[in-house]
């Protein structure tokens, strides 16, 4: 799913500090990777006290977990085109734009790599995608209700099937997917769903 950022939420000093620290953390992840993420360096970049960062986030993994939660909160809402094909293509396009953005792409690759060897980061990444799948799953449920997809189609599985080839392509080729790949991923997931591949077992 995508983390394409929206606008920064208004707030007082605490919100401003969180915004600055998470932005700095994202910059370090994108530029240097998870292994180089250091709370003191993040505090320096964000121009806030080290004590504040250590007290609020406690560890690098705690900071990454909050960064992913913030990205999920700020992600753009799902589209409503009136058809399941249109909605799934919009979802795929959003994922594609995120992965084509140099900073966002580098950030996700760093977090995904860290999640393979750090359980807390893995849990945070799973929660991030749970939020994004839950945001887009209703487009599949609505497609079932309109008769576009078979009864019993699993919405979450369909939404994941849209994103999966885009991430796989990025991670195995090192090249971000283009718009044509996004459209192809959406259409393939839809064709499988229409054929009943993603219906829940009886």
């Amino acid at each position: 799913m995508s983390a394409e950022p929206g606008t920064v939420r208004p707030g007082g000093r605490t919100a401003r500090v969180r915004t600055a620290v998470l932005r700095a953390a994202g910059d370090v992840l994108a530029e240097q990777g998870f292994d180089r993420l250091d709370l003191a360096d993040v505090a320096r970049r964000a121009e806030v006290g080290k004590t504040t960062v250590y007290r609020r986030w406690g560890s690098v993994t705690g900071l990454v977990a909050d960064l992913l939660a913030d990205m999920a909160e700020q992600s753009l809402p799902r589209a409503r085109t009136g058809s399941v094909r249109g909605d799934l293509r919009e979802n795929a396009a959003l994922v594609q734009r995120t992965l084509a953005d140099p900073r966002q792409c580098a950030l996700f690759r760093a977090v995904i790599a860290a999640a393979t060897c750090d359980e807390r980061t893995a849990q945070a990444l799973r929660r991030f995608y749970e939020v994004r799948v839950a945001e887009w799953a209703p487009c599949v449920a609505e497609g079932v209700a309109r008769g576009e997809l078979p009864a019993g189609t699993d919405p979450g599985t369909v939404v994941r099937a849209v994103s999966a080839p885009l991430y796989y392509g990025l991670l195995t080729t090192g090249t971000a997917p283009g718009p044509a790949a996004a459209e192809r991923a959406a259409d393939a997931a839809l064709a499988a769903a229409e054929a009943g591949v993603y219906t829940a077992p009886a």
Side-chain angles (χ1 to χ4, degrees):
M1 297 302 84
S2 163
E4 188 168 296
T7 57
V8 175
R9 296 181 302 282
R13 181 180 181 279
T14 298
R16 290 194 299 273
V17 166
R18 181 176 183 243
T19 296
V21 169
L22 295 185
R23 177 72 190 187
D27 288 344
V28 175
L29 280 170
E31 294 166 11
Q32 302 178 28
F34 182 84
D35 290 345
R36 301 292 298 275
L37 189 62
D38 175 77
L39 295 188
D41 181 41
V42 169
R44 179 186 59 79
R45 287 176 177 241
E47 300 182 339
V48 302
K50 288 189 295 184
T51 302
T52 298
V53 175
Y54 280 97
R55 183 175 62 246
R56 174 158 185 172
W57 286 278
S59 67
V60 165
T61 51
L63 181 56
V64 171
D66 194 29
L67 174 63
L68 288 168
D70 185 70
M71 290 168 64
E73 292 167 8
Q74 295 198 51
S75 292
L76 296 177
R78 75 176 181 93
R80 289 174 170 81
T81 67
S83 75
V84 68
R85 181 184 298 276
D87 288 353
L88 292 181
R89 283 188 172 186
E90 287 292 326
N91 175 247
L94 184 56
V95 174
Q96 183 272 323
R97 289 195 301 272
T98 298
L99 298 181
D101 178 87
R103 181 180 184 276
Q104 292 289 93
C105 179
L107 194 159
F108 269 104
R109 291 179 71 172
V111 172
I112 291 169
T116 64
C117 56
D118 182 86
E119 180 55 28
R120 188 172 181 186
T121 302
Q123 291 174 359
L125 189 61
R126 286 194 293 270
R127 284 194 295 271
F128 169 81
Y129 285 113
E130 285 169 2
V131 171
R132 298 311 299 141
V133 169
E135 173 73 20
W136 284 86
C139 76
V140 178
E142 290 163 8
V144 173
R146 289 192 296 262
E148 297 174 80
L149 296 174
T153 297
D154 183 83
T157 302
V158 176
V159 173
R160 290 185 181 92
V162 172
S163 299
L166 302 178
Y167 279 96
Y168 185 79
L170 171 68
L171 295 175
T172 58
T173 69
T175 302
E183 187 171 295
R184 190 163 55 245
D187 288 353
L190 177 61
E194 290 173 335
V197 171
Y198 301 126
T199 55

